[in-house]
Amino acid sequence: MNAKTEWAQAYGEWVVRWRWPVIIVAILLALGAASGGRFLAFNTDYRVFFSDDNPQLLAFEELQETYTKIDNIQFVVESKNGDTVTPDVMEAVETITQKAWLLPFALRVDSVSNFQHTTAEEDDLIVADLLEGARQLSKEQLEAVRTIAQHEPALRTMMISSDSTVTAINVTFQMPEKAMDEVPTAVAAARNLAGEIEAAYPVKIYLNGMVMMNNAFMESSMNDMGTLVPAMYLIIIVMMLVLVRSFSATVATVFVLMFSVMTGMGLAGWLGIKLTPPSSAATTIILTLAVADSIHVIVSMLAGMRKGLEKRLAVIETMRVNFMPVFLTSITTAIGFLSMNASDS
């Protein structure tokens, strides 16, 4: 027995001797760390994927400061009857255009209805919205709107499809970037407006754009955390009960998994780390490491007991055999993930 294994055995004997104080202190430390979970927040800004001095990001932000933001939500309106240039659908477009100005952080709204169309009457130039009062327009007037929209480069294929089956309303947003709930707030309001219009008109509305994409990252991550993690817990419990055939070992492993995830996420909250779609996978990573280490320890202990060792001696022998492998596995994995912080992405 070399010095390393002697040290590990001595540590195992100490843990077994003072097992109840060790368990109580470990639980208290885990709960204290987990309490930082209340400070966790989700960052939905795509800029989080780049460092502050990233040249492409700097150039992109300079472009937006010079011209305008591209943070947008686009309402894509599809007629259930196949044609959008009808009184009902065009009235729906007008309604969305008017109400979209009231969405949180909305900066500008563009659509077929408020497109500034210029006409000439003798020596006068008249600039007005392309579409007003769709419900009162005749079929000929609507066809004139269709013709203008299909021949206007700023509208054709951008605000209305070439076959007039779909049309779009683009809402540009100016996010203050002072709170984490700005994107979800804007998306929720847009979804409410879309639902209101779908209930009142024969249309189907699809939402896309940069703001929707940022929100989708967050929603997908939250959904995964709400479904994949519980599913992993269930599978782990079933597999351990079937393969290890020890209820107490399974319960102990579940507690290790719970406290590991709670401690990791809680410490992130205390440190002010904001969750992103990639970093939200930390729960799954921590769970994977915790169950792997737990299985090594439990299988070694059960094997020792099957060889005739008393439980106390089996635990000490397990600590002696597995301490260094488990420690090295955990520390090298941590180093590997920490090295990702050196990546610009």
Side-chain angles (χ1 to χ4, degrees), residues 189-206:
R191 285 173 173 167
N192 288 337
L193 176 56
E196 176 186 333
I197 298 301
E198 285 182 332
Y201 298 94
V203 297
K204 175 66 178 176
I205 298 177
Y206 305 90

Side-chain angles (χ1 to χ4, degrees), residues 164-180:
S164 300
T165 55
V166 294
T167 185
I169 300 94
N170 189 67
V171 186
T172 305
F173 291 83
Q174 180 75 51
M175 298 295 181
E177 299 178 10
K178 294 181 179 179
M180 291 294 103

Side-chain angles (χ1 to χ4, degrees), residues 118-186:
T118 304
T119 57
E121 290 186 8
E122 298 181 353
D123 293 334
D124 297 326
L125 290 177
I126 301 174
V127 181
D129 290 347
L130 177 59
L131 181 67
E132 289 184 286
R135 184 73 70 175
Q136 286 74 43
L137 297 181
S138 65
K139 183 177 180 180
E140 290 74 18
Q141 289 173 314
L142 286 173
E143 285 303 316
V145 170
R146 186 202 305 272
T147 301
I148 294 170
Q150 292 293 355
H151 288 84
E152 174 55 55
L155 295 178
R156 189 175 186 272
T157 71
M158 295 185 66
M159 291 296 174
I160 188 168
S161 63
S162 56
D163 58 1
S164 300
T165 55
V166 294
T167 185
I169 300 94
N170 189 67
V171 186
T172 305
F173 291 83
Q174 180 75 51
M175 298 295 181
E177 299 178 10
K178 294 181 179 179
M180 291 294 103
D181 63 345
E182 293 170 0
V183 169
T185 298

Side-chain angles (χ1 to χ4, degrees), residues 168-316:
I169 300 94
N170 189 67
V171 186
T172 305
F173 291 83
Q174 180 75 51
M175 298 295 181
E177 299 178 10
K178 294 181 179 179
M180 291 294 103
D181 63 345
E182 293 170 0
V183 169
T185 298
V187 169
R191 285 173 173 167
N192 288 337
L193 176 56
E196 176 186 333
I197 298 301
E198 285 182 332
Y201 298 94
V203 297
K204 175 66 178 176
I205 298 177
Y206 305 90
L207 299 175
N208 61 29
M210 187 64 72
V211 175
M212 295 301 300
M213 183 184 74
N214 288 338
N215 190 72
F217 280 135
M218 180 195 71
E219 286 188 338
S220 296
S221 299
M222 296 298 290
N223 289 337
D224 287 346
M225 292 172 66
T227 55
L228 293 182
V229 173
M232 285 185 66
Y233 269 109
L234 179 61
I235 294 171
I236 288 169
I237 291 171
V238 172
M239 292 298 292
M240 284 199 65
L241 286 173
V242 172
L243 300 177
V244 179
R245 288 176 294 180
S246 172
F247 179 77
S248 59
T250 301
V251 171
T253 301
V254 170
F255 275 106
V256 170
L257 302 184
M258 289 173 54
F259 285 131
S260 297
V261 173
M262 289 165 58
T263 299
M265 303 309 289
L267 288 176
W270 282 117
L271 294 172
I273 298 173
K274 294 180 176 62
L275 292 180
T276 63
S279 67
S280 64
T283 53
T284 305
I285 296 168
I286 294 172
L287 191 149
T288 302
L289 288 171
V291 72
D293 291 342
S294 298
I295 290 296
H296 280 301
V297 172
I298 288 172
V299 169
S300 295
M301 188 194 75
L302 293 177
M305 293 176 65
R306 292 190 184 102
K307 291 179 181 179
L309 290 176
E310 185 259 332
K311 181 183 288 187
R312 176 180 175 278
L313 295 177
V315 171
I316 294 173

